[in-house]
Amino acid sequence: GAVVSQHPSWVICKSGTSVKIECRSLDFQATTMFWYRQFPKQSLMLMATSNEGSKATYEQGVEKDKFLINHASLTLSTLTVTSAHPEDSSFYICSAGRLAGGADTQYFGPGTRLTVL
Amino acid sequence: DQQVKQNSPSLSVQEGRISILNCDYTNSMFDYFLWYKKYPAEGPTFLISISSIKDKNEDGRFTVFLNKSAKHLSLHIVPSQPGDSAVYFCAASGSGGSNYKLTFGKGTLLTVNP
């Protein structure tokens, strides 16, 4: 158990367009989902925490109007990169929190490679 | 301010030997620690975790040790296999209900040579 999927796995778009990335927990319900961004050869950078039915909590320096997060159900969260620019090109990874062994563990999706031309 | 540190960016080990990956943290509020394995262009895979009430947790070839007084944890892989070659991230979480937020180290690239 604890499988998280992301769609699409990769996307190429033109500058100025918007891109939506879906994150789904396939075999468990996740009250909380997280969105990360990873630059080459660097660690995962938390962008925002997404709670089902409420507004996302964004980390410092992350533009909430640019990275729209919707957590519509206990198994689905979406990240929309609005008016994408080349500097938004990155590897975006989501995770879903699940209680395991008495403690919360995050299970990660496979990631989405975004390339903005 | 880096609250979770993995000071070795890379580690090379011979197949069959022990791999020891280290992690230090500075925030005394952290009470849950996890190790993830990551291949390029993939999401991290959860390996093993440990709560601050324990000092050791074992799962097959993987053992995590926690030294709270030193704010140090380590992941031991025995015996190491070529398929273990990946980047290993240490992560920490604070206490409190639904506070899942993880702070990650920068990762250590493990290479297991046949």
Side-chain angles (χ1 to χ4, degrees):
Chain A
V3 179
V4 178
S5 71
Q6 270 183 252
H7 178 80
S9 55
W10 59 271
V11 57
I12 301 173
C13 69
K14 291 183 178 180
S15 187
T17 60
S18 294
V19 174
K20 179 186 282 189
I21 303 170
E22 291 187 350
C23 177
R24 293 180 186 271
S25 55
L26 298 184
D27 52 0
F28 66 102
Q29 293 184 328
T31 305
T32 308
M33 288 185 172
F34 303 82
W35 287 95
Y36 293 84
R37 183 173 179 178
Q38 186 182 28
F39 294 99
K41 297 185 179 180
Q42 293 196 28
S43 186
L44 295 142
M45 183 193 80
L46 178 65
M47 298 174 66
T49 302
S50 168
N51 293 294
E52 188 266 337
S54 64
K55 290 184 179 180
T57 303
Y58 290 81
E59 295 299 301
Q60 194 173 11
V62 178
E63 299 176 61
K64 60 181 180 182
D65 294 331
K66 182 167 187 62
F67 298 100
L68 300 179
I69 292 172
N70 184 283
H71 195 152
S73 75
L74 288 173
T75 59
L76 172 64
S77 176
T78 60
L79 168 68
T80 302
V81 183
T82 62
S83 186
H85 291 284
E87 59 265 30
D88 299 323
S89 298
S90 191
F91 191 56
Y92 292 88
I93 311 173
C94 74
S95 72
R98 183 185 190 188
L99 195 64
D104 301 323
T105 298
Q106 285 186 33
Y107 294 90
F108 286 82
T112 297
R113 169 70 60 190
L114 170 63
T115 301
V116 185
L117 302 176
Chain B
D1 176 32
Q2 204 178 336
Q3 298 186 65
V4 178
K5 300 178 185 178
Q6 292 177 257
N7 292 319
S8 297
S10 64
L11 174 68
S12 185
V13 172
Q14 206 63 30
E15 181 179 7
R17 296 288 188 97
I18 184 172
S19 294
I20 301 177
L21 298 139
N22 293 302
C23 179
D24 297 292
Y25 61 96
T26 58
N27 190 337
S28 57
M29 296 302 293
F30 288 148
D31 65 355
Y32 185 53
F33 305 89
L34 308 91
W35 284 94
Y36 288 87
K37 174 181 178 180
K38 186 180 182 302
Y39 295 112
E42 292 187 14
T45 301
F46 170 69
L47 277 177
I48 193 169
S49 63
I50 188 167
S51 164
S52 60
I53 62 174
K54 295 185 176 181
D55 55 18
K56 177 183 175 181
N57 188 25
E58 190 172 354
D59 184 2
R61 296 187 298 116
F62 302 93
T63 303
V64 56
F65 294 92
L66 175 63
N67 183 332
K68 282 178 58 182
S69 60
K71 292 191 177 67
H72 176 84
L73 63 153
S74 60
L75 174 68
H76 292 210
I77 306 173
V78 182
S80 301
Q81 300 172 355
D84 296 330
S85 298
V87 176
Y88 288 78
F89 288 98
C90 168
S93 174
S95 60
S98 59
N99 183 8
Y100 296 82
K101 181 175 172 179
L102 293 178
T103 302
F104 282 86
K106 290 191 173 181
T108 297
L109 173 62
L110 173 65
T111 302
V112 180
N113 302 302

